[in-house]
Amino acid sequence: MTGAVSPDRRRFLTVGAAVLGAAASAQLWLPTAARAAETPLPDGVFSLGVTSGDPLPDGIVLWTRLAPDPLNGGGMPDRVVPVEWEIAEDERFRKPVRRGVAQARPEYGHSVHVDVRGLRPGRAYWYRFRTSGQLSPTGRTRTAPHPHSKGGSLRVALASCQNYQHGYFTPYADMLAQDPDVVLFVGDYIYESSPASTGVRRHEGTGEPYSLVQYRNRYAQYRSDPDLAAMHANAPWVVTFDDHEVDNDFAGEIPQDPDKQTHDAFVARLTAAYQAYYEHMPVRATSVPNGPHIQMYRRLEFGRLARLNVLDTRQFRSDQATTQEGAQDPSLTMLGARQKEWLLDGLHDSPARWNLIASQIMMAETDLKVGEGKLWYYDAWDGYQAERNALMQEFADVRNPVVFTGDRHLTMISDLKEDFADPDSDVVGAEFVGTSISSNGDQDQDAFHKQWDPLMGDNPHWKLLDAHRGYHLFDIDKHGIDAQVRVVDTVRRPTATASTLAALRVEAGRPGVELASS
């Protein structure tokens, strides 16, 4: 298959680029003489900053991408470039714990993914990169707690949907001040839409991205936002994608508009989009793309406190339904058989106090019809009724399931019901649909509530609806989850005032969510 990377090649690229564990500690920064012999690179190679991701008790992924001309393909020479990396216990790097050299390869956009191991659990580290005499910004990260740790707490920030043209990414400035242990990003990191003269900011390029270089340029533009860059450098991220990283409303290898994109053309687009996604995200070698496929569903453990199941609700889904009857087709799947089995096994076998699920799209029912009958929102789990309903029944036997979601560009916080057709059925979990970072811009709140409040009676499981821009912040301990809906007053300017719109709580052992204050 064109563009495919064999498992052996994928393993070579990753292990060659990331010197792991104790072996890394034996390596020193390149000698001055060796650096002097290299052909100097253009200035500004670290223009895209640094970030880290997917924390383990003993490891973390460190990321950067060399791009002195970020909006024009990167601007790097067509050769492998050695990049020194260092991670330390202090911000001044007086207590280094691992050092090594990674290879930034042109076939991967000169991105660097260092999978560092041999670290201590539950502690902060600082890291940086250097090449051609240039030093990157310093990043801060944190490892996951010890696997058998039962106490402690975890602060998680939930973010999604950051349309560059709809506004500045001002919620990240407040998120930075709240100092989360980890950022969970559940989709729509970029938008593939064409440049628009009416936007607050304008997308680069002349149209939608289709090629690898075009997707690289779009990611580079998004990474130029200073608030996003600062948040990336100050906490580890756990990421997954939704549709706009590729093409609006795509399903598997089916584009939104199959009459305009042939299957072969869309497969080529998927291949480019997934590679650019990998190149710009702090993920492990398991996510090196294989042509139009990328492994994104995975599981992360935070001691015995929380297990995080990160879903992929795009690659394996059936094409979405367009009618109520179609949504009830039992053959439709959101997850695919293998991912569904993986999820259920992980939920039922979990030793964790909290079983968290990162779902790109909403699980709770949305009934858009006032009064008798149902009108579902098909581009969500509502469009896959049989699979969603079966999952809700499984939740009844899962310890403290809580779902973190994006996509909707609104805050919608709900109880999850064993049977949404029966308002008296048991509550089996809670779902937090996070609002967007910038998508939909500064909405008219009165118009929003005029449209949505009349639906509350037909959706009694909804606990809170709002359309401010922002993110959700969760403080998790063994007793419960305290959630804050953090919002900003505008995304139309580079700075904004943040506040807590509402506080909610999920009690351990008591499914559902309660509004604490507003």
Side-chain angles (χ1 to χ4, degrees):
M1 183 178 296
T2 302
V5 182
S6 71
D8 288 342
R9 172 63 172 161
R10 192 154 57 243
R11 194 176 304 113
F12 166 78
L13 287 170
T14 306
V15 175
V19 184
L20 308 179
S25 65
Q27 297 202 34
L28 302 177
W29 296 77
L30 288 176
T32 303
R35 291 198 303 272
E38 297 174 358
T39 302
L41 297 174
D43 290 339
V45 292
F46 294 110
S47 65
L48 301 183
V50 300
T51 194
S52 63
D54 279 14
L56 302 176
D58 68 339
I60 196 76
V61 176
L62 307 181
W63 176 94
T64 192
R65 179 183 164 222
L66 308 182
D69 191 5
L71 298 186
N72 292 288
M76 287 290 292
D78 187 20
R79 62 178 172 87
V80 176
V81 176
V83 180
E84 306 159 83
W85 60 268
E86 181 179 31
I87 187 167
E89 294 182 351
D90 66 303
E91 191 171 7
R92 295 187 177 184
F93 293 86
R94 292 173 177 170
K95 299 178 181 179
V97 293
R98 293 288 184 273
R99 288 172 172 169
V101 180
Q103 305 301 320
R105 299 179 177 277
E107 61 265 37
Y108 283 92
H110 290 97
S111 61
V112 176
H113 300 73
V114 183
D115 192 348
V116 186
R117 301 295 173 95
L119 304 177
R120 293 164 59 187
R123 64 163 300 136
Y125 288 92
W126 285 260
Y127 62 95
R128 60 188 178 184
F129 301 89
R130 183 164 60 186
T131 191
S132 192
Q134 300 180 51
L135 193 64
S136 76
T138 294
R140 186 187 66 165
T141 191
R142 176 174 289 273
T143 51
H146 190 278
H148 301 301
S149 171
K150 293 184 178 180
S153 62
L154 180 68
R155 172 166 275 202
V156 178
L158 172 66
S160 65
C161 304
Q162 50 190 29
N163 192 317
Y164 187 88
Q165 298 196 131
H166 289 182
Y168 296 92
F169 300 160
T170 55
Y172 285 121
D174 180 67
M175 186 188 292
L176 183 67
Q178 301 302 324
D179 196 21
D181 297 314
V182 64
V183 178
L184 176 60
F185 194 93
V186 291
D188 295 344
Y189 189 96
I190 63 166
Y191 278 72
E192 85 292 10
S193 49
S194 297
S197 58
T198 57
V200 177
R201 301 189 284 187
R202 186 182 177 92
H203 274 152
E204 54 73 42
T206 58
E208 291 190 21
Y210 290 89
S211 71
L212 177 56
V213 170
Q214 289 171 330
Y215 277 107
R216 285 173 176 167
N217 292 345
R218 186 61 55 89
Y219 275 101
Q221 182 180 44
Y222 275 58
R223 279 293 177 88
S224 72
D225 183 277
D227 292 321
L228 175 60
M231 194 64 247
H232 265 301
N234 277 274
W237 286 53
V238 176
V239 300
T240 188
F241 59 82
D242 193 22
D243 53 343
H244 289 290
E245 289 88 348
V246 180
D247 182 35
N248 182 51
D249 286 350
F250 83 95
E253 295 185 359
I254 303 172
Q256 178 188 27
D257 48 3
D259 55 325
K260 297 180 180 178
Q261 298 182 68
T262 66
H263 180 259
D264 287 350
F266 189 64
V267 165
R269 188 178 192 182
L270 281 171
T271 301
Y274 289 156
Q275 178 165 334
Y277 186 81
Y278 168 77
E279 290 175 352
H280 290 86
M281 294 296 144
V283 291
R284 288 193 162 80
T286 51
S287 295
V288 174
N290 182 10
H293 306 288
I294 184 171
Q295 178 64 42
M296 286 306 297
Y297 69 83
R298 62 204 189 280
R299 187 171 291 128
L300 294 165
E301 313 282 354
F302 295 88
R304 294 294 179 90
L305 180 62
R307 167 173 281 185
L308 175 61
N309 302 277
V310 182
L311 300 186
D312 176 350
T313 60
R314 281 290 162 189
Q315 285 193 90
F316 310 106
R317 68 157 70 181
S318 309
D319 198 12
Q320 68 189 47
T322 57
T323 65
Q324 297 296 103
E325 182 181 7
Q328 298 175 76
D329 182 344
S331 71
L332 294 187
T333 180
M334 177 68 74
L335 300 176
R338 181 178 296 179
Q339 184 180 192
K340 181 166 63 176
E341 181 180 12
W342 166 87
L343 175 61
L344 294 177
D345 287 347
L347 292 173
H348 290 305
D349 297 342
S350 173
R353 181 77 160 179
W354 296 95
N355 285 287
L356 311 177
I357 299 173
S359 173
Q360 294 90 327
I361 59 171
M362 184 170 171
M363 281 192 183
E365 182 175 87
T366 299
D367 181 4
L368 295 169
K369 184 177 182 180
V370 176
E372 293 296 319
K374 300 277 190 182
L375 178 58
W376 293 312
Y377 180 69
Y378 301 125
D379 187 28
W381 283 84
D382 272 348
Y384 303 77
Q385 288 280 315
E387 189 169 82
R388 192 274 309 280
N389 295 344
L391 185 58
M392 293 301 96
Q393 292 173 10
E394 297 280 356
F395 273 19
D397 296 320
V398 173
R399 191 182 196 189
N400 296 320
V402 178
V403 180
F404 296 147
T405 303
D407 180 58
R408 298 296 295 272
H409 306 170
L410 50 79
T411 286
M412 186 176 280
I413 299 172
S414 307
D415 287 342
L416 293 173
K417 307 282 285 186
E418 188 169 15
D419 182 2
F420 284 105
D422 178 8
D424 296 325
S425 69
D426 289 341
V427 175
V428 295
E431 180 178 36
F432 292 84
V433 177
T435 182
S436 66
I437 291 292
S438 66
S439 300
N440 280 19
D442 292 347
Q443 282 188 254
D444 182 330
Q445 302 300 315
D446 290 338
F448 171 82
H449 285 287
K450 184 177 180 180
Q451 175 188 355
W452 286 90
D453 286 357
L455 300 173
M456 293 287 284
D458 294 276
N459 296 272
H461 48 282
W462 292 350
K463 297 299 183 72
L464 180 68
L465 289 175
D466 184 75
H468 285 87
R469 306 282 71 83
Y471 67 99
H472 292 185
L473 188 68
F474 304 92
D475 287 297
I476 306 170
D477 63 26
K478 66 180 182 179
H479 302 295
I481 298 178
D482 287 308
Q484 299 178 55
V485 178
R486 298 288 296 174
V487 300
V488 294
D489 61 345
T490 185
V491 293
R492 296 190 64 83
R493 297 188 300 274
T495 59
T497 300
S499 62
T500 298
L501 177 89
L504 303 99
R505 183 167 174 85
V506 181
E507 291 281 353
R510 188 187 305 167
V513 58
E514 296 298 333
L515 191 64
S517 64
S518 61

